[in-house]
């Protein structure tokens, strides 16, 4: 496993040191990070179209980061991925994720989002990256709770359409040799293991259809995030190290009662302040041979982001496991075929 790394999306701003990629990268390096995950919607970080077209630009971008003391771990198209599939109920809410020229034009907005994913595949390959982060978008999310009763075939139709939209994108990532890792996340049609399985079946087990594992979203769903690794470890290509807590009470539970983040029973926390068993997670990921990055995604309604970031790097480093080069009991091992047969009573 590689790290610690950090996702820049929640940190970039119009104020120094997070107003440019070089200064943000330096700040993160000084905080103890060796990698940064880059949001492609932020022009302060990357020109995605140019990155897809120009190897020289990508080499320069990577060099700038190395000079600052970090390397680029992955690119992210979370916001563009969301726009690949939008239920009309969310058109207005999600228009802000798109350029002004395509707002209010769902078909043009979707075409823009699809193009962005194709550009991201090329840019990731030029940067020498192995995986890419995104959202699946959602067509069926308004029908998550089965009341009123869902008509027969509604969910199947939604996932068939989702697969139809994503299959050409997955093929593009296959051509570039990059895994496409969907963050399993509420608000997306891919929000738990069952929905990921539905999608995977609909895209014929596409080899590039992968998972960005973020335990915080499983805590808020009361989902067993450790068993999730046991079940889906072969598809986990990315890891967001993010904490959360779920404290249901007599007034509110998983759904949150439309409350703001501070008052919700389920809320995101800075690393170490929530309920996630990171020792268990790092152990299981190590057990299954995960060799990607451990990336802090900071989202906390209580703690300042800079404090969360400074605490996050040593937290991740302390949980990373260096695997042994030999078994602990090798000193007592032997290799003697005759002895083996004798021990078994065969000779």
């Amino acid at each position: 496993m590689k790290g610690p790394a950090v996702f820049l999306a929640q940190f970039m701003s119009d104020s120094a040191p997070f107003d440019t990629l070089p200064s943000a990268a330096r700040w993160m390096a000084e905080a103890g990070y060796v990698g940064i995950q880059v949001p492609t919607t932020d022009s302060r970080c990357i020109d995605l179209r140019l990155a897809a077209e120009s190897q020289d630009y990508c080499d320069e971008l990577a060099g700038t980061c190395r000079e600052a003391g970090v390397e680029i771990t992955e690119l992210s198209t979370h916001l563009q991925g969301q726009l690949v599939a939008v239920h009309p109920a969310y058109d207005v809410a999600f228009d802000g994720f798109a350029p002004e020229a395509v707002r209010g034009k769902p078909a043009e907005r979707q075409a823009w989002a699809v193009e962005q994913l194709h550009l991201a595949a090329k840019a990731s390959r030029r940067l020498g990256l192995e995986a890419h982060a995104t959202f699946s978008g959602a067509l069926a999310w308004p029908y998550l709770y089965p009341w009123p009763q869902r008509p027969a075939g509604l969910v199947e139709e939604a996932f068939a359409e989702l697969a139809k939209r994503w299959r050409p994108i997955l093929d593009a990532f296959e051509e570039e040799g990059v895994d496409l890792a969907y963050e399993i996340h509420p608000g997306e049609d891919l929000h738990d293991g069952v929905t990921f399985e539905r999608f995977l079946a609909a895209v014929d087990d596409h080899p590039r259809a992968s998972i960005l594992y973020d335990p915080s979203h499983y805590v808020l769903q009361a989902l067993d995030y450790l068993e999730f690794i046991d079940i889906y470890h072969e598809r986990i290509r990315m890891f967001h190290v993010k904490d959360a807590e779920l404290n249901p009470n007599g007034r509110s539970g998983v759904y949150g009662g439309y409350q703001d983040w501070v008052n919700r029973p389920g809320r995101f926390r800075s690393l170490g302040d929530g309920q996630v068993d990171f020792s268990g997670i790092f152990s299981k990921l190590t057990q299954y041979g995960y060799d990607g990055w451990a990336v802090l995604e900071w989202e906390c309604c209580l703690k300042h982001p800079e404090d969360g970031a400074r605490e996050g790097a040593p937290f991740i480093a302390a949980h990373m496991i260096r695997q042994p080069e030999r078994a602990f009991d090798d000193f007592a091992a032997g290799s003697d075929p005759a002895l083996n047969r004798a021990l078994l009573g065969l000779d």
Side-chain angles (χ1 to χ4, degrees):
M1 192 180 305
K2 297 172 284 190
V6 60
F7 187 25
L8 289 183
Q10 286 82 8
F11 294 92
M12 299 306 296
S13 72
D14 293 329
S15 302
F18 301 113
D19 54 340
T20 70
L21 181 64
S23 60
R26 283 192 298 271
W27 193 97
M28 291 302 179
E30 291 168 2
Y33 295 97
V34 296
I36 53 172
Q37 191 176 92
V38 176
T40 60
T41 50
D42 196 319
S43 60
R44 291 167 296 204
C45 291
I46 189 172
D47 182 327
L48 183 58
R49 184 173 298 278
L50 186 57
E53 296 171 351
S54 171
Q55 188 62 51
D56 288 342
Y57 172 77
C58 287
D59 293 343
E60 181 180 348
L61 189 69
T64 296
C65 292
R66 284 194 298 270
E67 185 177 342
V70 296
E71 62 178 290
I72 297 173
T73 65
E74 302 99 358
L75 302 180
S76 154
T77 54
H78 281 86
L79 302 188
Q80 301 100 310
Q82 183 79 67
L83 299 181
V84 170
V86 178
H87 187 280
Y90 295 97
D91 269 339
V92 175
F94 284 146
D95 253 356
F97 291 175
E100 191 170 347
V102 298
R103 292 175 189 171
K105 306 171 183 176
E108 294 181 29
R109 184 186 62 200
Q110 181 194 345
W112 172 83
V114 169
E115 182 191 31
Q116 287 279 294
L117 266 295
H118 281 267
L119 293 175
K122 290 182 169 60
S124 294
R125 189 259 303 165
R126 289 191 183 280
L127 287 164
L129 307 178
E130 297 180 353
H132 179 79
T134 197
F135 278 150
S136 68
L139 299 173
W141 183 254
Y143 309 103
L144 176 69
Y145 195 80
W147 182 258
Q149 290 176 311
R150 293 188 290 256
L154 177 70
V155 173
E156 290 77 7
E157 183 69 23
F159 276 82
E161 178 63 26
L162 196 68
K164 178 182 177 181
R165 297 185 187 191
W166 277 105
R167 184 60 186 261
I169 300 172
L170 285 163
D171 289 343
F173 275 84
E174 171 69 15
E175 290 176 9
E176 302 298 339
V178 179
D179 291 321
L180 186 56
Y182 297 95
E183 183 168 357
I184 307 301
H185 188 291
E188 312 303 319
D189 279 341
L190 276 59
H191 60 269
D192 62 9
V194 170
T195 51
F196 178 73
E197 290 175 17
R198 283 183 182 273
F199 179 74
L200 198 58
V203 294
D204 302 317
D205 293 326
H206 199 289
R208 294 298 172 179
S210 306
I211 292 172
L212 191 170
Y213 175 81
D214 182 336
S216 69
H217 302 300
Y218 307 154
V219 169
L220 270 56
Q221 296 183 68
L223 186 155
D224 188 331
Y225 53 85
L226 292 177
E227 188 178 7
F228 186 97
I229 299 174
D230 290 329
I231 299 169
Y232 301 108
H233 58 89
E234 293 182 354
R235 291 280 178 170
I236 294 174
R237 297 290 186 271
M238 295 175 63
F239 174 26
H240 271 177
V241 190
K242 183 176 163 189
D243 213 342
E245 61 185 352
L246 178 62
N247 298 304
N249 53 61
R251 298 178 63 242
S252 185
V254 169
Y255 297 115
Y258 298 112
Q259 298 175 96
D260 60 25
W261 280 110
V262 171
N263 297 314
R264 292 174 66 91
R267 57 189 186 177
F268 303 125
R269 299 297 306 276
S270 288
L271 292 185
D273 295 341
Q275 299 169 346
V276 174
D277 177 7
F278 284 107
S279 293
I281 289 172
F282 276 82
S283 293
K284 281 192 176 289
L285 289 175
T286 301
Q287 171 188 341
Y288 289 117
Y290 175 76
D291 59 0
W293 286 88
V295 181
L296 168 71
E297 183 183 24
W298 175 89
E299 287 183 344
C300 182
C301 56
L302 299 178
K303 184 172 288 183
H304 193 282
E306 293 182 17
D307 295 337
R310 289 193 178 96
E311 294 172 3
F315 184 95
I316 293 173
H319 282 80
M320 292 178 64
I321 300 170
R322 186 162 70 113
Q323 293 181 273
E325 297 176 356
R326 58 186 177 85
F328 64 87
D329 56 356
D330 270 0
F331 74 94
S335 178
D336 186 340
L339 176 61
N340 290 342
R341 292 187 63 80
L343 288 171
L344 293 170
L346 300 176
D347 290 328

